[in-house]
Amino acid sequence: MKRHPLNPILSAKDIPYEASLVFNAGVCKWQGKYVMLFRNDYGSTEEDWRAARGAGKPYPGFSTNLGVATSDDGIHWTPGPKPVWAVRDDEVLRVYDPRLTVVEGRVVVCFAMDTRHGLRGGVATTEDFERFDVKSLSLPDNRNMVVFPERIGGDYIRLERPMPVYSRYGKTEAFDIWLSASPDLRFWGDSRLVLGAERVPYATTKIGPAAPPVRTPKGWLATIHSVRVSGRELSSWEGGWRKEYCAGLMLLDLDDPSKVVGLSREPFLPPVEDYETAGFRGSVIFPGGMILEDSGEVKIYYGAADTVECLATASLDELLRLCEPLP
Ligand code: BMA
């Protein structure tokens, strides 16, 4: 992977409204432009967190909204004048971590939603990035949903990451990648396990989907996020942070995407650069967008250190070569 020399390509200083952490964005190509829907956490700063930590006081916390940015080249981004989506009421605490897929000319937005009764994964559509029509919200706890860019067997298909706890007999955060199908983006079923966390050599706890998959001649190419708990404390604003998030790759069968036909044996994007290892939560790499260009270049957009949004590129052939058959 080549990290883009302009990284981070979007951060709080670029945003014309209150912003502290700009990351975990979804990206798609739509109506002749690149469009990014990003997560913006705001309401406190690094200084506030460090002051609270030094004084042994409770951490200040954030509010969250989603912002939009557009680009002609996928590298230089212009944010819109105001946030486009935020939900907070008696039940819903926030929506965050959006993912974008264009399916049959329509933009499908997947998102996570924190509620007072659990974490839910949502699927919405938008025609203008101003109004979002929510089609479905999962039962808790589930999130990290990404929709495939085509129907398969007549159905919309999504990857997702439920969070079973009670049934995993003491394993902490042993979370896996699943798949569900829907005729209409509203009713989801036919759910199947795709990849158990234990099959990913570089995960010590959970894995999950990252950016929406793209079609390649060899299969659906999909990024995953994988978590390993570090033996040492990692840099963070809050202290005590130990989870290293890396990006891996998997290749899924074109006709039956619940079948994994390839997996990268190592993370293809581990946290290395300063903007990846230091921030609100250091050593976190979380891809949310992948664009396959006609030239064969793949652009991968990722949140770094839960603080900024970055871009890395590679050729499709190189990425496919990394996906080796599972043992
Ligand atoms: C996950 C989510 C992501 C975040 C990651 C690392 O649980 O909250 O939004 O990037 O943790 O903090």
Side-chain angles (χ1 to χ4, degrees), residues 23-24 39 96-97 143 206 241 245 281 284 286 306:
F23 68 113
N24 288 6
R39 166 174 169 184
Y96 59 104
D97 289 4
R143 68 175 172 195
K206 56 189 171 178
W241 178 246
Y245 279 64
R281 286 178 172 168
V284 173
F286 209 131
D306 280 5

Side-chain angles (χ1 to χ4, degrees), residues 2 12 17 41 97 118 126 148 155 175 184 201 215 240 252-253 257 273 279 290-291 296 303:
K2 267 193 247 136
Y17 44 89
D41 287 4
D97 289 4
T126 185
F148 284 67
D155 284 331
F175 305 153
D184 55 5
R215 176 186 270 278
L252 305 174
D253 185 89
E273 299 293 335
M290 173 161 56
I291 306 274

Side-chain angles (χ1 to χ4, degrees), residues 50-105:
R50 295 217 182 274
R53 190 175 168 184
K57 292 199 174 140
Y59 288 119
F62 294 106
S63 301
T64 298
N65 55 36
L66 303 185
V68 75
T70 54
S71 171
D72 290 324
D73 58 8
I75 298 166
H76 303 86
W77 292 86
T78 308
K82 54 181 181 3
V84 292
W85 198 16
V87 190
R88 191 173 172 99
D89 57 30
D90 288 347
E91 176 61 14
V92 179
L93 304 173
R94 59 176 180 164
V95 293
Y96 59 104
D97 289 4
R99 306 283 178 252
L100 303 177
T101 314
V102 179
V103 194
E104 295 162 358

Side-chain angles (χ1 to χ4, degrees), residues 10-15 17-23 38-49 61-65 237 279-280 304-309:
L10 198 70
S11 57
K13 68 174 174 19
D14 305 318
I15 307 302
Y17 44 89
E18 192 182 355
S20 293
L21 310 174
V22 169
F23 68 113
F38 58 85
R39 166 174 169 184
N40 169 35
D41 287 4
Y42 66 98
S44 60
T45 62
E46 180 168 3
E47 290 70 53
D48 300 335
W49 282 71
F62 294 106
S63 301
T64 298
N65 55 36
W237 295 4
F280 177 62
D306 280 5
T307 303
V308 293
E309 187 65 21

Side-chain angles (χ1 to χ4, degrees), residues 18 57 99 146 167 183 194 201 210 283 290 302 313:
E18 192 182 355
K57 292 199 174 140
R99 306 283 178 252
V146 293
S167 55
V194 176
S283 300
M290 173 161 56
Y302 62 99
T313 57

